[in-house]
Each structure stands twice: as C-alpha cells, then as structure tokens.
Amino acid sequence: MGKLINKILGKSSSSDIATAITKAQAELAQAEAAVAAAEEQYEANLLTADKKALRALLDAKTEANIDVDQARARIQRLTRDHEAALEAEAESDRQAAYDRAKELTATARKKLGDYEKAAMAIRDVLRAIAEADVAVEAANENLPAGAARLDKAEAARSSPNLYKETVKEEVVELWAGVGDQSRPVEHQHRVRVERVGKRVRSRWSEDDFDEGGYEKGYYTTDGGGSIEVVKRRFIKRTFLPDDTGHFAAPLHQKVELPPAIVGGPVFFEPGSYHAPGLLAKLDQPLPPRRIRAERKPEIEYVLAPKEAANAA
C-alpha cells in the first residue's frame, strides 16, 4: 500500500492478511480434528496396548495439540496484524485526502490571483453594453429614412415570445360523424364505405348533408359499436404553436464583483442603471485598497493562576 503500511507490515496488505487468516482457520480446524482423532486412539488402546505403544499415541496427541496451539497463535497474530493493516490503510487514505486538499487549496489560491483581472474584464463588458445602449437610444430618436429601430445589445440574451404561425394550408376530404361534422373522426381507416351516389337524407337530420353527391359509411368506435359518417371537406392547417419567451435581466442588475481580498475595492455592485448612469459609474476610478492601521501594544493585568485560586 503505502510507506506507512510497509513499515508496519512489510509488503502485506489487509486483504493479504485476511486471506492468511482464512488459511490459518482451516489449518486450525484440521489440527483440532487431529487432536480428537489422537485422543480417541489413545483412549481406545489404554487397556490393550503396552506402555511403549501408549507413549507413541500420547506423543501423537501432544503433537496435535501443539499444532492447535500454533494455529491459534498464528490466528491471533494475524488478527492483530489485520487490524493494524486496516488502520494503516485508513491513515494512508486520510493522509492522501489531506495532501489532495492542500494541493487543491494551493491551486485555488493561485487562481484567486486571476480574479482581479477577470473582474476588470467583466467591467469592460458592462462598459461596452452601456456605450452601445447610449448609441442605440440616440440613433432610435433620429432614425434615417426607412430604417428600422435598433435593438439594444442585451436583447440577444433574451428569447422573444413566438406566436402561432401557419406554415401550410390545404383542403382535404375526411370522414366526419353525422352528428358532429365539425371535426373528422380520429381513425379514418376504421370507416366502412356503405354507399357512393346521390344525396340521401340522414335519419337524424334533414340538414346533415350538402346537395350533390356524397359518400356515406360507418365508423367503428373504440367500444366496438358504429356511427354513421359522411365525407366532408376540411381545411388542414399545419402551424407552429405559441411559445412563451424568456426575458434575461440586464447584466448590471445581476453582476456582483466583491473585493478580491479584505480591504480591496468593490469592482461592481448590481443595481438599476440607465445607460448614461452606468457609464458614469464605470468611469469612476476604483478606490485604493484600504491599508490596515498598525497595531500598537497595550497593557492588561490578570491574576496569576495560584493567586486566582487563592482569591476564589
């Protein structure tokens, strides 16, 4: 991981140690099984084997118990090492985050040095807009012959209202319900043509049909029923709908440029300005940075700790 981890654990990471713990736990289980088997052998031969054979079985049981103790000791050591590795890795991550924060802060402080230049550039933008507005107002008051009024510079920042605009108009023949001939039925393909020929009075109204030839049919509704329909001429209009515009407030009402540092000049304060007034404001020189007065030493007296304790 990092230098701190390597110092504590060599090359082992917490994941490596966790793997070693799993392996040691498996070895402990095998050793405990060996102890159980050795004890079973020893007790099974107590009455039948001689002392030499029993000593061999006892030695095997002792060896198995040693393996158990060693496995448990390894697990305890690995567990401590694992906890230390986790803490070391966490400390390494904390240190990395701390170093990153210091690095970003140093970069940001360098960027703060560019703020004054950027603020002055924005003042130049506001000045250009004000100068243009003054010129537009003067030109619109005395337009040349046939010339259209000029928009101010910031008009380009807003989107105007767009009103309904017909882009295409054509005459079409569509099926319409006899009871509602002002609009066509929604699904024209559902009409079954019944008759084409002379005018026939509708059973609903004598005024349903125009004089002359007509087409009559039946329209299948969504519910499975049918209604009587006839062909009608409609004017089909394709149009662009109304679209509400969006107004952008003038920049001088929104822009605020505070001092770069304490005591420095305010580069711009937002407000409602007429173009000449805004120019006048921008023409004013920025005040110099306010210099903090030199501090002079003063004297005060407080009781020493022991004296204060006695006084209490």
Side-chain angles (χ1 to χ4, degrees):
M1 296 293 290
K3 292 182 178 179
L4 183 59
I5 298 174
N6 291 337
K7 181 179 179 181
I8 298 176
L9 303 170
K11 297 294 183 180
S12 297
S13 66
S14 61
S15 60
D16 293 334
I17 299 174
T19 301
I21 290 174
T22 301
K23 183 179 179 181
Q25 288 171 338
E27 292 174 350
L28 174 61
Q30 292 177 354
E32 288 174 338
V35 167
E39 289 177 345
E40 183 180 353
Q41 283 290 323
Y42 178 76
E43 293 180 2
N45 289 278
L46 278 174
L47 299 177
T48 57
D50 56 23
K51 289 185 178 181
K52 182 178 180 181
L54 289 174
R55 276 195 294 269
L57 292 173
L58 187 59
D59 289 343
K61 186 172 71 168
T62 301
E63 289 291 329
N65 277 306
I66 291 174
D67 291 340
V68 168
D69 293 340
Q70 288 182 328
R72 287 174 178 166
R74 279 196 296 272
I75 291 173
Q76 290 176 356
R77 173 59 188 275
L78 287 169
T79 300
R80 290 195 300 269
D81 290 348
H82 186 251
E83 292 173 353
L86 288 174
E87 177 55 31
E89 289 168 1
E91 179 63 19
S92 178
D93 291 341
R94 288 191 290 269
Q95 185 66 49
Y98 182 82
D99 293 341
R100 176 63 173 163
K102 286 178 62 177
E103 179 184 350
L104 291 175
T105 301
T107 301
R109 284 175 177 165
K110 289 180 181 178
K111 288 292 183 182
L112 278 174
D114 298 333
Y115 171 75
E116 183 173 347
K117 185 185 299 182
M120 295 303 294
I122 294 174
R123 283 174 60 91
D124 289 342
V125 172
L126 296 175
R127 180 186 298 278
I129 292 172
E131 290 174 346
D133 286 351
V134 169
V136 166
E137 289 175 2
N140 283 340
E141 289 178 359
N142 190 20
L143 290 171
R149 290 180 61 83
L150 296 172
D151 289 330
K152 292 187 176 181
E154 288 193 83
R157 297 180 54 236
S158 299
S159 59
N161 290 329
L162 299 177
Y163 300 102
K164 182 177 179 179
E165 178 183 354
T166 299
V167 296
K168 185 180 180 181
E169 189 171 282
E170 57 185 324
V171 177
V172 296
E173 286 192 349
L174 297 170
W175 295 102
V178 172
D180 183 10
Q181 298 179 35
S182 62
R183 57 183 177 180
V185 294
E186 183 177 2
H187 305 289
Q188 293 286 306
H189 66 279
R190 293 185 183 179
V191 175
R192 174 174 56 85
V193 178
E194 179 72 14
R195 184 187 306 169
V196 177
K198 297 180 180 180
R199 175 178 179 272
V200 176
R201 179 177 299 172
S202 167
R203 56 191 173 95
W204 286 286
S205 170
E206 295 184 359
D207 301 323
D208 283 337
F209 305 137
D210 294 331
E211 294 292 342
Y214 78 100
E215 292 186 56
K216 174 183 175 183
Y218 293 94
Y219 173 72
T220 303
T221 63
D222 291 339
S226 64
I227 60 173
E228 189 176 7
V229 292
V230 292
K231 274 287 182 69
R232 280 287 180 261
R233 288 187 179 89
F234 292 90
I235 297 175
K236 178 183 177 181
R237 291 193 182 99
T238 304
F239 65 93
L240 299 175
D242 290 344
D243 186 14
T244 303
H246 300 279
F247 173 73
L251 289 176
H252 64 254
Q253 294 182 9
K254 298 296 182 180
V255 169
E256 182 175 3
L257 302 174
I261 56 176
V262 173
V266 175
F267 293 100
F268 190 80
E269 292 179 313
S272 295
Y273 303 100
H274 190 261
L278 178 57
L279 274 179
K281 179 178 179 63
L282 293 171
D283 285 339
Q284 295 175 1
L286 292 173
R289 179 187 175 189
R290 179 173 57 84
I291 304 300
R292 178 180 289 181
E294 182 180 357
R295 292 191 298 170
K296 297 180 180 180
E298 299 178 359
I299 296 176
E300 66 177 3
Y301 295 95
V302 295
L303 283 174
K306 187 174 181 180
E307 296 292 336
N310 292 336

